[in-house]
Amino acid sequence: MLSYFPAPYPDELLYSLLARYHRHTCSVSSKGTLEDLFGSRNVRATVDLPGHLGALSRHLPPDKDLTAERLASEFTLFPYYVAFQPPMVVADVLAALTHGRADGIHLRLGIATTTVSAATALRYCPACHADALTRWGERYWRRAHQLPGVLVCPDHGVPLTDSSVVPSLGHQHEFVAADHRNCGSESVPPVWANDHKSRAILLDIAQRSAALLNGRRWGMNPVDLTARYRHALIDRRFASASGRVDQRHLHDAFAAVFAPACSALPELEGTTWLTSIVRKHRHAFHPLHHILFGLLLDRSDPAPKVAHLTPRRVVATTEFTNRLRDLVRQGEGLRATARALNVDPNTVRLLSNDIPNCPPGDTRNCPPVAVQAVVG
Ligand SMILES: [Zn+2]
């Protein structure tokens, strides 16, 4: 049992906490630090999803209340990686992190063959480090800065900088703390740094990614997720009312939304995943793909809606009324009009009949005002 363990900083990576323990105790042996922390000299210094958290928890001072589950949820990238996974996978991954080795964990998550590349060097935000030095007198590694696809700080919006610490290269059993030597070099700003459109998209991605780290409900039922996506696709007119997806429209919209950031983020080039994520989910998708898909939906205008619906009463908005009138004027049939407005044909018939001063099926002289119709 350890008598000392550092107090964690906000959003600190477990790797960073262990590295600061190593530095604060003035240990000269990386293997000795592993023995202190885990009771084993063969634990690998993993950044994203470290194992042996149960053994670590048992060695930490009890007053810190750092249970294995808390270590996983608050100090690793576990909540990010399981955010869209079925509950059984969440439980399986958590068990691997807490009770055993985490080797092959990306296979368990079904994302071992993903095209999304993880950063090799630990990254940092110069503004965050300046804040940390002022407040606590030392730097530390943050979780949000190590997430795949995150190129700017979610808090400051500035480009992240690669440190000289590459855990997979020669440091497999060593936790390296952030300091002025490995984080001090002047870096050349990326070419997109002055492009505000590119920065805005990258900041949106960073903030959505970081938000997953703080999620307290892990995982998602795949049936619910598929249904939610289907509903959103119909709502944005990327799919017909029956759910048939217009893949060309979807891919064109994706290209238009993400064009400004394509040169910054190579993951935006390949969109095979986009074709599959809108179908029934037969395999897992990388969290970054769910984030990009959510961002695309949020930046796409929903179809005009019937604003309020109860079993007996429909209240149409002015926008809905105007669109209904335009469709009728264009000579669209009842069913085509209903499809375009995402309502059933009966609703179209009732609304067009009940618009004041409009003969049934002809809304040419309708005033652009909200109307009410009684249904049933
Ligand atoms: Zn920052």
Side-chain angles (χ1 to χ4, degrees):
M1 181 83 63
L2 303 178
S3 55
Y4 167 77
F5 194 68
Y9 296 133
D11 191 42
E12 185 167 15
L13 202 57
L14 180 63
Y15 177 102
S16 176
L17 257 174
L18 303 186
R20 288 197 298 117
Y21 167 83
H22 178 69
R23 186 170 64 191
H24 292 182
T25 54
C26 302
S27 172
V28 292
S29 162
S30 301
K31 292 273 188 177
T33 295
L34 289 178
E35 182 81 48
D36 290 350
L37 293 167
F38 295 94
S40 164
R41 302 171 79 86
N42 295 315
V43 173
R44 289 186 34 189
T46 307
V47 172
D48 57 357
L49 297 165
H52 306 283
L53 298 183
L56 173 62
S57 172
R58 288 191 291 277
H59 284 83
L60 299 182
D63 63 308
K64 299 284 182 187
D65 192 29
L66 291 169
T67 61
E69 186 175 306
R70 198 173 153 216
L71 288 170
S73 65
E74 295 182 28
F75 303 98
T76 78
L77 306 192
F78 165 76
Y80 170 86
Y81 276 108
V82 300
F84 301 95
Q85 294 280 350
M88 278 184 66
V89 175
V90 178
D92 189 32
V93 169
L94 186 59
L97 298 186
T98 55
H99 299 307
R101 296 157 63 96
D103 298 351
I105 204 85
H106 293 91
L107 265 179
R108 292 177 198 236
L109 288 164
I111 56 169
T113 59
T114 183
T115 53
V116 178
S117 53
T120 50
L122 285 170
R123 292 177 301 192
Y124 67 97
C125 160
C128 282
H129 273 196
D131 284 352
L133 284 168
T134 303
R135 293 177 68 180
W136 298 295
E138 63 178 342
R139 304 164 193 256
Y140 66 100
W141 307 116
R142 278 189 57 182
R143 291 190 299 170
H145 296 164
Q146 321 308 329
L147 294 171
V150 171
L151 302 186
V152 299
C153 175
D155 295 333
H156 297 99
V158 300
L160 298 177
T161 306
D162 278 355
S163 73
S164 61
V165 180
V166 182
S168 58
L169 289 180
H171 297 291
Q172 292 196 11
H173 300 285
E174 182 182 2
F175 296 96
V176 184
D179 61 28
H180 68 280
R181 291 181 300 269
N182 55 38
C183 295
S185 63
E186 284 291 319
S187 61
V188 181
V191 288
W192 46 263
N194 293 321
D195 178 350
H196 75 276
K197 283 188 179 172
S198 181
R199 288 271 290 269
I201 290 174
L202 294 173
L203 180 60
D204 203 342
I205 294 171
Q207 290 177 337
R208 286 165 190 252
S209 302
L212 293 183
L213 288 172
N214 299 316
R216 286 290 169 263
R217 291 184 61 198
W218 307 320
M220 212 169 269
N221 183 314
V223 175
D224 293 345
L225 189 59
T226 302
R228 184 193 294 186
Y229 282 178
R230 184 174 180 273
H231 180 79
L233 286 162
I234 294 170
D235 193 46
R236 298 334 187 259
R237 286 176 281 178
F238 289 127
S240 67
S242 64
R244 186 180 174 81
V245 177
D246 184 341
Q247 289 281 1
R248 171 171 284 196
H249 178 31
L250 183 69
H251 281 74
D252 286 350
F254 184 89
V257 166
F258 292 105
C262 266
S263 63
L265 192 60
E267 280 79 4
L268 294 171
E269 294 288 351
T271 52
T272 311
W273 62 269
L274 182 60
T275 307
S276 314
I277 206 168
V278 297
R279 294 177 174 152
K280 187 176 178 185
H281 291 185
R282 292 186 171 82
H283 60 83
F285 294 88
H286 194 282
L288 179 61
H289 290 152
H290 287 284
I291 288 163
L292 295 177
F293 183 61
L295 201 157
L296 169 64
L297 292 173
D298 288 349
R299 291 193 178 213
S300 304
D301 290 333
K305 278 194 182 70
V306 172
H308 176 66
L309 195 63
T310 67
R312 293 195 52 77
R313 199 158 162 267
V314 175
V315 180
T317 61
T318 304
E319 184 193 9
F320 183 92
T321 310
N322 290 342
R323 183 141 168 76
L324 169 62
R325 188 178 54 228
D326 290 345
L327 288 163
V328 172
R329 188 173 288 163
Q330 288 159 17
E332 292 289 348
L334 188 65
R335 289 189 181 282
T337 304
R339 263 200 308 278
L341 296 171
N342 281 326
V343 294
D344 65 81
N346 275 336
T347 304
V348 169
R349 186 182 291 122
L350 283 162
L351 285 173
S352 60
N353 288 353
D354 285 324
I355 292 174
N357 306 320
C358 288
D362 182 356
T363 56
R364 276 172 294 187
N365 297 316
C366 295
V369 295
V371 298
Q372 293 189 3
V374 177
V375 178

